[in-house]
PDB file of all heavy atoms in Angstrom:
ATOM      1  N   LYS A  18       3.348  13.914 -22.662  1.00 96.00           N
ATOM      2  CA  LYS A  18       2.310  14.927 -22.523  1.00 96.00           C
ATOM      3  C   LYS A  18       2.602  15.631 -21.201  1.00 96.00           C
ATOM      4  O   LYS A  18       2.606  14.997 -20.144  1.00 96.00           O
ATOM      5  CB  LYS A  18       0.938  14.243 -22.495  1.00 96.00           C
ATOM      6  CG  LYS A  18      -0.215  15.215 -22.528  1.00 96.00           C
ATOM      7  CD  LYS A  18      -1.553  14.480 -22.579  1.00 96.00           C
ATOM      8  CE  LYS A  18      -1.840  13.866 -23.944  1.00 96.00           C
ATOM      9  NZ  LYS A  18      -3.196  13.268 -24.009  1.00 96.00           N
ATOM     10  N   VAL A  29       2.773  13.684 -17.602  1.00 97.00           N
ATOM     11  CA  VAL A  29       1.677  12.869 -17.042  1.00 97.00           C
ATOM     12  C   VAL A  29       1.667  11.498 -17.716  1.00 97.00           C
ATOM     13  O   VAL A  29       1.323  10.494 -17.101  1.00 97.00           O
ATOM     14  CB  VAL A  29       0.312  13.578 -17.151  1.00 97.00           C
ATOM     15  CG1 VAL A  29      -0.112  13.782 -18.592  1.00 97.00           C
ATOM     16  CG2 VAL A  29      -0.773  12.815 -16.409  1.00 97.00           C
ATOM     17  N   GLN A  30       2.090  11.472 -18.985  1.00 97.00           N
ATOM     18  CA  GLN A  30       2.215  10.197 -19.688  1.00 97.00           C
ATOM     19  C   GLN A  30       3.119  10.366 -20.895  1.00 97.00           C
ATOM     20  O   GLN A  30       3.380  11.478 -21.338  1.00 97.00           O
ATOM     21  CB  GLN A  30       0.853   9.673 -20.130  1.00 97.00           C
ATOM     22  CG  GLN A  30       0.170  10.563 -21.170  1.00 97.00           C
ATOM     23  CD  GLN A  30      -1.025   9.885 -21.816  1.00 97.00           C
ATOM     24  OE1 GLN A  30      -2.103   9.888 -21.271  1.00 97.00           O
ATOM     25  NE2 GLN A  30      -0.825   9.310 -22.992  1.00 97.00           N
ATOM     26  N   ALA A  33       3.006   5.785 -24.950  1.00 96.00           N
ATOM     27  CA  ALA A  33       2.412   4.471 -24.657  1.00 96.00           C
ATOM     28  C   ALA A  33       1.081   4.620 -23.934  1.00 96.00           C
ATOM     29  O   ALA A  33       0.169   3.818 -24.129  1.00 96.00           O
ATOM     30  CB  ALA A  33       3.373   3.632 -23.813  1.00 96.00           C
ATOM     31  N   GLY A  34       0.951   5.627 -23.083  1.00 96.00           N
ATOM     32  CA  GLY A  34      -0.292   5.834 -22.336  1.00 96.00           C
ATOM     33  C   GLY A  34      -0.242   5.238 -20.942  1.00 96.00           C
ATOM     34  O   GLY A  34       0.555   4.340 -20.660  1.00 96.00           O
ATOM     35  N   ILE A  35      -1.129   5.736 -20.082  1.00 97.00           N
ATOM     36  CA  ILE A  35      -1.083   5.415 -18.652  1.00 97.00           C
ATOM     37  C   ILE A  35      -1.233   3.917 -18.380  1.00 97.00           C
ATOM     38  O   ILE A  35      -0.495   3.343 -17.581  1.00 97.00           O
ATOM     39  CB  ILE A  35      -2.158   6.245 -17.895  1.00 97.00           C
ATOM     40  CG1 ILE A  35      -1.777   7.735 -17.949  1.00 97.00           C
ATOM     41  CG2 ILE A  35      -2.306   5.766 -16.451  1.00 97.00           C
ATOM     42  CD1 ILE A  35      -2.812   8.682 -17.376  1.00 97.00           C
ATOM     43  N   ILE A  36      -2.171   3.257 -19.057  1.00 98.00           N
ATOM     44  CA  ILE A  36      -2.413   1.833 -18.765  1.00 98.00           C
ATOM     45  C   ILE A  36      -1.201   0.983 -19.131  1.00 98.00           C
ATOM     46  O   ILE A  36      -0.739   0.158 -18.343  1.00 98.00           O
ATOM     47  CB  ILE A  36      -3.693   1.344 -19.483  1.00 98.00           C
ATOM     48  CG1 ILE A  36      -4.920   2.029 -18.861  1.00 98.00           C
ATOM     49  CG2 ILE A  36      -3.821  -0.184 -19.413  1.00 98.00           C
ATOM     50  CD1 ILE A  36      -6.242   1.692 -19.532  1.00 98.00           C
ATOM     51  N   LYS A  37      -0.641   1.203 -20.320  1.00 98.00           N
ATOM     52  CA  LYS A  37       0.537   0.421 -20.746  1.00 98.00           C
ATOM     53  C   LYS A  37       1.732   0.728 -19.838  1.00 98.00           C
ATOM     54  O   LYS A  37       2.507  -0.165 -19.501  1.00 98.00           O
ATOM     55  CB  LYS A  37       0.890   0.727 -22.201  1.00 98.00           C
ATOM     56  CG  LYS A  37      -0.073   0.098 -23.204  1.00 98.00           C
ATOM     57  CD  LYS A  37       0.601  -0.052 -24.572  1.00 98.00           C
ATOM     58  CE  LYS A  37      -0.339  -0.700 -25.567  1.00 98.00           C
ATOM     59  NZ  LYS A  37      -1.189   0.301 -26.248  1.00 98.00           N
ATOM     60  N   LYS A 294     -17.479  -1.418 -15.106  1.00 95.00           N
ATOM     61  CA  LYS A 294     -16.337  -0.703 -15.686  1.00 95.00           C
ATOM     62  C   LYS A 294     -16.398   0.801 -15.477  1.00 95.00           C
ATOM     63  O   LYS A 294     -15.428   1.517 -15.729  1.00 95.00           O
ATOM     64  CB  LYS A 294     -16.256  -0.992 -17.193  1.00 95.00           C
ATOM     65  CG  LYS A 294     -15.807  -2.420 -17.504  1.00 95.00           C
ATOM     66  CD  LYS A 294     -15.000  -2.464 -18.779  1.00 95.00           C
ATOM     67  CE  LYS A 294     -14.130  -3.704 -18.847  1.00 95.00           C
ATOM     68  NZ  LYS A 294     -13.064  -3.582 -19.841  1.00 95.00           N
ATOM     69  N   ARG A 295     -17.573   1.305 -15.058  1.00 95.00           N
ATOM     70  CA  ARG A 295     -17.708   2.757 -14.939  1.00 95.00           C
ATOM     71  C   ARG A 295     -16.824   3.274 -13.805  1.00 95.00           C
ATOM     72  O   ARG A 295     -16.969   2.847 -12.667  1.00 95.00           O
ATOM     73  CB  ARG A 295     -19.160   3.142 -14.675  1.00 95.00           C
ATOM     74  CG  ARG A 295     -19.406   4.644 -14.648  1.00 95.00           C
ATOM     75  CD  ARG A 295     -20.775   4.973 -14.121  1.00 95.00           C
ATOM     76  NE  ARG A 295     -21.828   4.450 -14.955  1.00 95.00           N
ATOM     77  CZ  ARG A 295     -22.412   5.130 -15.954  1.00 95.00           C
ATOM     78  NH1 ARG A 295     -22.050   6.365 -16.199  1.00 95.00           N
ATOM     79  NH2 ARG A 295     -23.363   4.578 -16.661  1.00 95.00           N
ATOM     80  N   PRO A 296     -15.880   4.199 -14.110  1.00 96.00           N
ATOM     81  CA  PRO A 296     -14.993   4.683 -13.056  1.00 96.00           C
ATOM     82  C   PRO A 296     -15.730   5.563 -12.051  1.00 96.00           C
ATOM     83  O   PRO A 296     -16.696   6.244 -12.407  1.00 96.00           O
ATOM     84  CB  PRO A 296     -13.959   5.532 -13.810  1.00 96.00           C
ATOM     85  CG  PRO A 296     -14.291   5.464 -15.248  1.00 96.00           C
ATOM     86  CD  PRO A 296     -15.639   4.843 -15.399  1.00 96.00           C
ATOM     87  N   VAL A 297     -15.276   5.530 -10.804  1.00 97.00           N
ATOM     88  CA  VAL A 297     -15.694   6.506  -9.813  1.00 97.00           C
ATOM     89  C   VAL A 297     -14.552   7.526  -9.721  1.00 97.00           C
ATOM     90  O   VAL A 297     -13.461   7.277 -10.223  1.00 97.00           O
ATOM     91  CB  VAL A 297     -15.983   5.825  -8.447  1.00 97.00           C
ATOM     92  CG1 VAL A 297     -17.103   4.806  -8.595  1.00 97.00           C
ATOM     93  CG2 VAL A 297     -14.731   5.162  -7.887  1.00 97.00           C
ATOM     94  N   ARG A 298     -14.825   8.672  -9.107  1.00 97.00           N
ATOM     95  CA  ARG A 298     -13.811   9.746  -9.081  1.00 97.00           C
ATOM     96  C   ARG A 298     -13.657  10.329  -7.687  1.00 97.00           C
ATOM     97  O   ARG A 298     -14.581  10.246  -6.867  1.00 97.00           O
ATOM     98  CB  ARG A 298     -14.235  10.877 -10.038  1.00 97.00           C
ATOM     99  CG  ARG A 298     -14.525  10.440 -11.473  1.00 97.00           C
ATOM    100  CD  ARG A 298     -13.278  10.269 -12.292  1.00 97.00           C
ATOM    101  NE  ARG A 298     -13.594   9.825 -13.663  1.00 97.00           N
ATOM    102  CZ  ARG A 298     -12.672   9.445 -14.557  1.00 97.00           C
ATOM    103  NH1 ARG A 298     -11.402   9.437 -14.233  1.00 97.00           N
ATOM    104  NH2 ARG A 298     -13.034   9.059 -15.756  1.00 97.00           N
ATOM    105  N   ALA A 317      -9.212   7.779  -6.756  1.00 98.00           N
ATOM    106  CA  ALA A 317      -9.796   6.727  -7.583  1.00 98.00           C
ATOM    107  C   ALA A 317      -8.984   6.626  -8.860  1.00 98.00           C
ATOM    108  O   ALA A 317      -8.358   7.591  -9.289  1.00 98.00           O
ATOM    109  CB  ALA A 317     -11.248   7.055  -7.910  1.00 98.00           C
ATOM    110  N   CYS A 318      -8.977   5.434  -9.440  1.00 97.00           N
ATOM    111  CA  CYS A 318      -8.273   5.273 -10.709  1.00 97.00           C
ATOM    112  C   CYS A 318      -8.759   3.999 -11.384  1.00 97.00           C
ATOM    113  O   CYS A 318      -9.515   3.230 -10.805  1.00 97.00           O
ATOM    114  CB  CYS A 318      -6.760   5.187 -10.501  1.00 97.00           C
ATOM    115  SG  CYS A 318      -6.194   3.620  -9.824  1.00 97.00           S
ATOM    116  N   TYR A 319      -8.307   3.815 -12.614  1.00 97.00           N
ATOM    117  CA  TYR A 319      -8.473   2.527 -13.264  1.00 97.00           C
ATOM    118  C   TYR A 319      -7.279   1.685 -12.830  1.00 97.00           C
ATOM    119  O   TYR A 319      -6.132   2.029 -13.119  1.00 97.00           O
ATOM    120  CB  TYR A 319      -8.515   2.697 -14.783  1.00 97.00           C
ATOM    121  CG  TYR A 319      -8.631   1.378 -15.511  1.00 97.00           C
ATOM    122  CD1 TYR A 319      -9.854   0.720 -15.570  1.00 97.00           C
ATOM    123  CD2 TYR A 319      -7.525   0.784 -16.097  1.00 97.00           C
ATOM    124  CE1 TYR A 319      -9.963  -0.511 -16.200  1.00 97.00           C
ATOM    125  CE2 TYR A 319      -7.628  -0.440 -16.740  1.00 97.00           C
ATOM    126  CZ  TYR A 319      -8.851  -1.083 -16.793  1.00 97.00           C
ATOM    127  OH  TYR A 319      -8.957  -2.298 -17.398  1.00 97.00           O
ATOM    128  N   VAL A 347     -22.351   8.440  -8.698  1.00 95.00           N
ATOM    129  CA  VAL A 347     -21.601   8.937  -9.861  1.00 95.00           C
ATOM    130  C   VAL A 347     -22.571   9.777 -10.700  1.00 95.00           C
ATOM    131  O   VAL A 347     -23.341   9.236 -11.486  1.00 95.00           O
ATOM    132  CB  VAL A 347     -21.022   7.776 -10.688  1.00 95.00           C
ATOM    133  CG1 VAL A 347     -20.239   8.314 -11.888  1.00 95.00           C
ATOM    134  CG2 VAL A 347     -20.101   6.913  -9.834  1.00 95.00           C
ATOM    135  N   ARG A 348     -22.561  11.068 -10.470  1.00 92.00           N
ATOM    136  CA  ARG A 348     -23.458  11.994 -11.166  1.00 92.00           C
ATOM    137  C   ARG A 348     -24.911  11.469 -11.194  1.00 92.00           C
ATOM    138  O   ARG A 348     -25.537  11.402 -12.248  1.00 92.00           O
ATOM    139  CB  ARG A 348     -22.946  12.259 -12.587  1.00 92.00           C
ATOM    140  CG  ARG A 348     -21.565  12.951 -12.624  1.00 92.00           C
ATOM    141  CD  ARG A 348     -21.079  13.196 -14.041  1.00 92.00           C
ATOM    142  NE  ARG A 348     -20.943  11.987 -14.813  1.00 92.00           N
ATOM    143  CZ  ARG A 348     -19.882  11.179 -14.767  1.00 92.00           C
ATOM    144  NH1 ARG A 348     -18.860  11.475 -13.985  1.00 92.00           N
ATOM    145  NH2 ARG A 348     -19.840  10.103 -15.516  1.00 92.00           N
ATOM    146  N   LYS A 350     -26.020   8.468 -10.632  1.00 94.00           N
ATOM    147  CA  LYS A 350     -26.160   7.028 -10.854  1.00 94.00           C
ATOM    148  C   LYS A 350     -25.507   6.296  -9.689  1.00 94.00           C
ATOM    149  O   LYS A 350     -24.385   6.619  -9.313  1.00 94.00           O
ATOM    150  CB  LYS A 350     -25.473   6.662 -12.178  1.00 94.00           C
ATOM    151  CG  LYS A 350     -25.960   5.359 -12.758  1.00 94.00           C
ATOM    152  CD  LYS A 350     -25.686   5.295 -14.268  1.00 94.00           C
ATOM    153  CE  LYS A 350     -26.687   6.127 -15.033  1.00 94.00           C
ATOM    154  NZ  LYS A 350     -26.790   5.891 -16.442  1.00 94.00           N
TER     155      LYS A 350
ATOM    156  N   GLU B  35      -7.124  11.275 -28.179  1.00 94.00           N
ATOM    157  CA  GLU B  35      -5.755  11.530 -27.756  1.00 94.00           C
ATOM    158  C   GLU B  35      -5.733  12.438 -26.524  1.00 94.00           C
ATOM    159  O   GLU B  35      -4.957  12.245 -25.605  1.00 94.00           O
ATOM    160  CB  GLU B  35      -4.993  12.179 -28.912  1.00 94.00           C
ATOM    161  CG  GLU B  35      -3.522  11.890 -28.874  1.00 94.00           C
ATOM    162  CD  GLU B  35      -2.832  12.446 -30.103  1.00 94.00           C
ATOM    163  OE1 GLU B  35      -3.052  11.896 -31.195  1.00 94.00           O
ATOM    164  OE2 GLU B  35      -2.108  13.449 -29.960  1.00 94.00           O
ATOM    165  N   ALA B  36      -6.614  13.447 -26.541  1.00 93.00           N
ATOM    166  CA  ALA B  36      -6.680  14.370 -25.407  1.00 93.00           C
ATOM    167  C   ALA B  36      -7.203  13.661 -24.153  1.00 93.00           C
ATOM    168  O   ALA B  36      -6.748  13.927 -23.048  1.00 93.00           O
ATOM    169  CB  ALA B  36      -7.567  15.553 -25.750  1.00 93.00           C
ATOM    170  N   LEU B  37      -8.141  12.733 -24.353  1.00 95.00           N
ATOM    171  CA  LEU B  37      -8.714  12.018 -23.201  1.00 95.00           C
ATOM    172  C   LEU B  37      -7.736  11.043 -22.572  1.00 95.00           C
ATOM    173  O   LEU B  37      -7.744  10.819 -21.377  1.00 95.00           O
ATOM    174  CB  LEU B  37      -9.955  11.227 -23.638  1.00 95.00           C
ATOM    175  CG  LEU B  37     -11.240  12.015 -23.790  1.00 95.00           C
ATOM    176  CD1 LEU B  37     -12.260  11.186 -24.561  1.00 95.00           C
ATOM    177  CD2 LEU B  37     -11.794  12.395 -22.425  1.00 95.00           C
ATOM    178  N   GLY B  38      -6.890  10.439 -23.382  1.00 95.00           N
ATOM    179  CA  GLY B  38      -6.033   9.359 -22.896  1.00 95.00           C
ATOM    180  C   GLY B  38      -6.806   8.046 -22.910  1.00 95.00           C
ATOM    181  O   GLY B  38      -7.901   7.964 -23.474  1.00 95.00           O
ATOM    182  N   ASP B  39      -6.242   7.028 -22.245  1.00 97.00           N
ATOM    183  CA  ASP B  39      -6.829   5.687 -22.289  1.00 97.00           C
ATOM    184  C   ASP B  39      -8.306   5.699 -21.889  1.00 97.00           C
ATOM    185  O   ASP B  39      -8.649   6.054 -20.764  1.00 97.00           O
ATOM    186  CB  ASP B  39      -6.078   4.746 -21.337  1.00 97.00           C
ATOM    187  CG  ASP B  39      -4.645   4.488 -21.788  1.00 97.00           C
ATOM    188  OD1 ASP B  39      -4.387   4.582 -23.003  1.00 97.00           O
ATOM    189  OD2 ASP B  39      -3.799   4.200 -20.937  1.00 97.00           O
ATOM    190  N   VAL B  41     -11.630   4.003 -20.671  1.00 97.00           N
ATOM    191  CA  VAL B  41     -11.917   2.810 -19.867  1.00 97.00           C
ATOM    192  C   VAL B  41     -13.411   2.497 -19.766  1.00 97.00           C
ATOM    193  O   VAL B  41     -13.791   1.431 -19.277  1.00 97.00           O
ATOM    194  CB  VAL B  41     -11.315   2.931 -18.447  1.00 97.00           C
ATOM    195  CG1 VAL B  41      -9.790   2.897 -18.504  1.00 97.00           C
ATOM    196  CG2 VAL B  41     -11.782   4.190 -17.735  1.00 97.00           C
ATOM    197  N   PHE B  42     -14.256   3.419 -20.209  1.00 97.00           N
ATOM    198  CA  PHE B  42     -15.706   3.177 -20.117  1.00 97.00           C
ATOM    199  C   PHE B  42     -16.447   4.113 -21.065  1.00 97.00           C
ATOM    200  O   PHE B  42     -16.101   5.275 -21.198  1.00 97.00           O
ATOM    201  CB  PHE B  42     -16.179   3.443 -18.679  1.00 97.00           C
ATOM    202  CG  PHE B  42     -17.668   3.264 -18.494  1.00 97.00           C
ATOM    203  CD1 PHE B  42     -18.222   1.993 -18.380  1.00 97.00           C
ATOM    204  CD2 PHE B  42     -18.509   4.364 -18.451  1.00 97.00           C
ATOM    205  CE1 PHE B  42     -19.591   1.827 -18.212  1.00 97.00           C
ATOM    206  CE2 PHE B  42     -19.880   4.211 -18.283  1.00 97.00           C
ATOM    207  CZ  PHE B  42     -20.419   2.942 -18.168  1.00 97.00           C
ATOM    208  N   GLU B  44     -20.515   5.138 -22.048  1.00 96.00           N
ATOM    209  CA  GLU B  44     -21.964   4.987 -21.855  1.00 96.00           C
ATOM    210  C   GLU B  44     -22.651   5.497 -23.121  1.00 96.00           C
ATOM    211  O   GLU B  44     -22.410   6.635 -23.537  1.00 96.00           O
ATOM    212  CB  GLU B  44     -22.427   5.806 -20.655  1.00 96.00           C
ATOM    213  CG  GLU B  44     -23.923   5.676 -20.398  1.00 96.00           C
ATOM    214  CD  GLU B  44     -24.364   6.595 -19.260  1.00 96.00           C
ATOM    215  OE1 GLU B  44     -24.514   7.797 -19.513  1.00 96.00           O
ATOM    216  OE2 GLU B  44     -24.504   6.102 -18.140  1.00 96.00           O
ATOM    217  N   VAL B  60     -21.574   9.245 -22.266  1.00 96.00           N
ATOM    218  CA  VAL B  60     -20.382   9.707 -21.557  1.00 96.00           C
ATOM    219  C   VAL B  60     -19.211   8.835 -21.980  1.00 96.00           C
ATOM    220  O   VAL B  60     -19.363   7.623 -22.130  1.00 96.00           O
ATOM    221  CB  VAL B  60     -20.561   9.574 -20.019  1.00 96.00           C
ATOM    222  CG1 VAL B  60     -19.306  10.022 -19.279  1.00 96.00           C
ATOM    223  CG2 VAL B  60     -21.776  10.351 -19.533  1.00 96.00           C
ATOM    224  N   GLU B  62     -15.432   7.903 -20.583  1.00 97.00           N
ATOM    225  CA  GLU B  62     -14.577   8.079 -19.412  1.00 97.00           C
ATOM    226  C   GLU B  62     -13.192   7.527 -19.717  1.00 97.00           C
ATOM    227  O   GLU B  62     -13.047   6.388 -20.149  1.00 97.00           O
ATOM    228  CB  GLU B  62     -15.153   7.315 -18.213  1.00 97.00           C
ATOM    229  CG  GLU B  62     -16.565   7.752 -17.857  1.00 97.00           C
ATOM    230  CD  GLU B  62     -16.697   8.227 -16.414  1.00 97.00           C
ATOM    231  OE1 GLU B  62     -15.661   8.573 -15.805  1.00 97.00           O
ATOM    232  OE2 GLU B  62     -17.835   8.250 -15.929  1.00 97.00           O
ATOM    233  N   SER B  63     -12.188   8.338 -19.457  1.00 96.00           N
ATOM    234  CA  SER B  63     -10.811   7.884 -19.632  1.00 96.00           C
ATOM    235  C   SER B  63     -10.184   7.724 -18.255  1.00 96.00           C
ATOM    236  O   SER B  63     -10.826   7.984 -17.234  1.00 96.00           O
ATOM    237  CB  SER B  63     -10.014   8.898 -20.441  1.00 96.00           C
ATOM    238  OG  SER B  63      -9.689  10.005 -19.635  1.00 96.00           O
ATOM    239  N   VAL B  64      -8.914   7.289 -18.222  1.00 95.00           N
ATOM    240  CA  VAL B  64      -8.213   7.172 -16.954  1.00 95.00           C
ATOM    241  C   VAL B  64      -8.161   8.529 -16.244  1.00 95.00           C
ATOM    242  O   VAL B  64      -8.014   8.593 -15.037  1.00 95.00           O
ATOM    243  CB  VAL B  64      -6.767   6.643 -17.135  1.00 95.00           C
ATOM    244  CG1 VAL B  64      -6.781   5.158 -17.422  1.00 95.00           C
ATOM    245  CG2 VAL B  64      -6.032   7.391 -18.228  1.00 95.00           C
ATOM    246  N   LYS B  65      -8.314   9.605 -17.024  1.00 89.00           N
ATOM    247  CA  LYS B  65      -8.161  10.922 -16.414  1.00 89.00           C
ATOM    248  C   LYS B  65      -9.470  11.631 -16.104  1.00 89.00           C
ATOM    249  O   LYS B  65      -9.561  12.327 -15.099  1.00 89.00           O
ATOM    250  CB  LYS B  65      -7.319  11.824 -17.344  1.00 89.00           C
ATOM    251  CG  LYS B  65      -5.852  11.470 -17.347  1.00 89.00           C
ATOM    252  CD  LYS B  65      -5.054  12.400 -18.223  1.00 89.00           C
ATOM    253  CE  LYS B  65      -5.107  11.982 -19.670  1.00 89.00           C
ATOM    254  NZ  LYS B  65      -4.305  12.819 -20.558  1.00 89.00           N
ATOM    255  N   ALA B  66     -10.481  11.497 -16.999  1.00 89.00           N
ATOM    256  CA  ALA B  66     -11.655  12.350 -16.839  1.00 89.00           C
ATOM    257  C   ALA B  66     -12.881  11.764 -17.520  1.00 89.00           C
ATOM    258  O   ALA B  66     -12.776  10.882 -18.373  1.00 89.00           O
ATOM    259  CB  ALA B  66     -11.364  13.731 -17.433  1.00 89.00           C
ATOM    260  N   ALA B  67     -14.043  12.291 -17.121  1.00 92.00           N
ATOM    261  CA  ALA B  67     -15.300  11.941 -17.780  1.00 92.00           C
ATOM    262  C   ALA B  67     -15.649  13.076 -18.733  1.00 92.00           C
ATOM    263  O   ALA B  67     -15.437  14.241 -18.428  1.00 92.00           O
ATOM    264  CB  ALA B  67     -16.396  11.775 -16.749  1.00 92.00           C
ATOM    265  N   GLU B  86     -18.410  -1.957 -24.776  1.00 94.00           N
ATOM    266  CA  GLU B  86     -18.680  -2.365 -23.401  1.00 94.00           C
ATOM    267  C   GLU B  86     -17.506  -3.163 -22.839  1.00 94.00           C
ATOM    268  O   GLU B  86     -17.065  -2.921 -21.719  1.00 94.00           O
ATOM    269  CB  GLU B  86     -19.946  -3.223 -23.402  1.00 94.00           C
ATOM    270  CG  GLU B  86     -20.726  -3.176 -22.109  1.00 94.00           C
ATOM    271  CD  GLU B  86     -22.082  -3.849 -22.300  1.00 94.00           C
ATOM    272  OE1 GLU B  86     -22.885  -3.373 -23.141  1.00 94.00           O
ATOM    273  OE2 GLU B  86     -22.306  -4.864 -21.634  1.00 94.00           O
ATOM    274  N   ASP B  87     -17.007  -4.109 -23.619  1.00 94.00           N
ATOM    275  CA  ASP B  87     -15.902  -4.943 -23.157  1.00 94.00           C
ATOM    276  C   ASP B  87     -14.540  -4.412 -23.581  1.00 94.00           C
ATOM    277  O   ASP B  87     -13.539  -4.711 -22.947  1.00 94.00           O
ATOM    278  CB  ASP B  87     -16.066  -6.374 -23.689  1.00 94.00           C
ATOM    279  CG  ASP B  87     -17.232  -7.076 -23.029  1.00 94.00           C
ATOM    280  OD1 ASP B  87     -17.470  -6.802 -21.840  1.00 94.00           O
ATOM    281  OD2 ASP B  87     -17.919  -7.860 -23.713  1.00 94.00           O
ATOM    282  N   GLU B  88     -14.510  -3.662 -24.681  1.00 96.00           N
ATOM    283  CA  GLU B  88     -13.226  -3.191 -25.186  1.00 96.00           C
ATOM    284  C   GLU B  88     -13.258  -1.692 -25.456  1.00 96.00           C
ATOM    285  O   GLU B  88     -13.162  -1.247 -26.610  1.00 96.00           O
ATOM    286  CB  GLU B  88     -12.857  -3.950 -26.475  1.00 96.00           C
ATOM    287  CG  GLU B  88     -12.643  -5.432 -26.238  1.00 96.00           C
ATOM    288  CD  GLU B  88     -12.607  -6.229 -27.542  1.00 96.00           C
ATOM    289  OE1 GLU B  88     -12.046  -5.732 -28.540  1.00 96.00           O
ATOM    290  OE2 GLU B  88     -13.157  -7.330 -27.558  1.00 96.00           O
ATOM    291  N   PRO B  89     -13.422  -0.899 -24.387  1.00 97.00           N
ATOM    292  CA  PRO B  89     -13.499   0.551 -24.579  1.00 97.00           C
ATOM    293  C   PRO B  89     -12.236   1.134 -25.209  1.00 97.00           C
ATOM    294  O   PRO B  89     -12.279   2.207 -25.824  1.00 97.00           O
ATOM    295  CB  PRO B  89     -13.727   1.093 -23.158  1.00 97.00           C
ATOM    296  CG  PRO B  89     -13.278   0.010 -22.233  1.00 97.00           C
ATOM    297  CD  PRO B  89     -13.507  -1.277 -22.960  1.00 97.00           C
TER     298      PRO B  89
END
Side-chain angles (χ1 to χ4, degrees):
Chain A
K18 187 177 286 185
V29 65
Q30 65 168 83
I35 293 174
I36 292 177
K37 286 203 179 87
K294 289 213 159 197
R295 185 191 297 268
V297 299
R298 306 280 179 188
C318 74
Y319 178 77
V347 180
R348 297 180 300 277
K350 201 158 283 196
Chain B
E35 208 175 290
L37 281 165
D39 293 333
V41 292
F42 178 78
E44 181 184 79
V60 179
E62 302 237 20
S63 76
V64 285
K65 286 182 277 182
E86 208 170 299
D87 290 326
E88 296 166 38

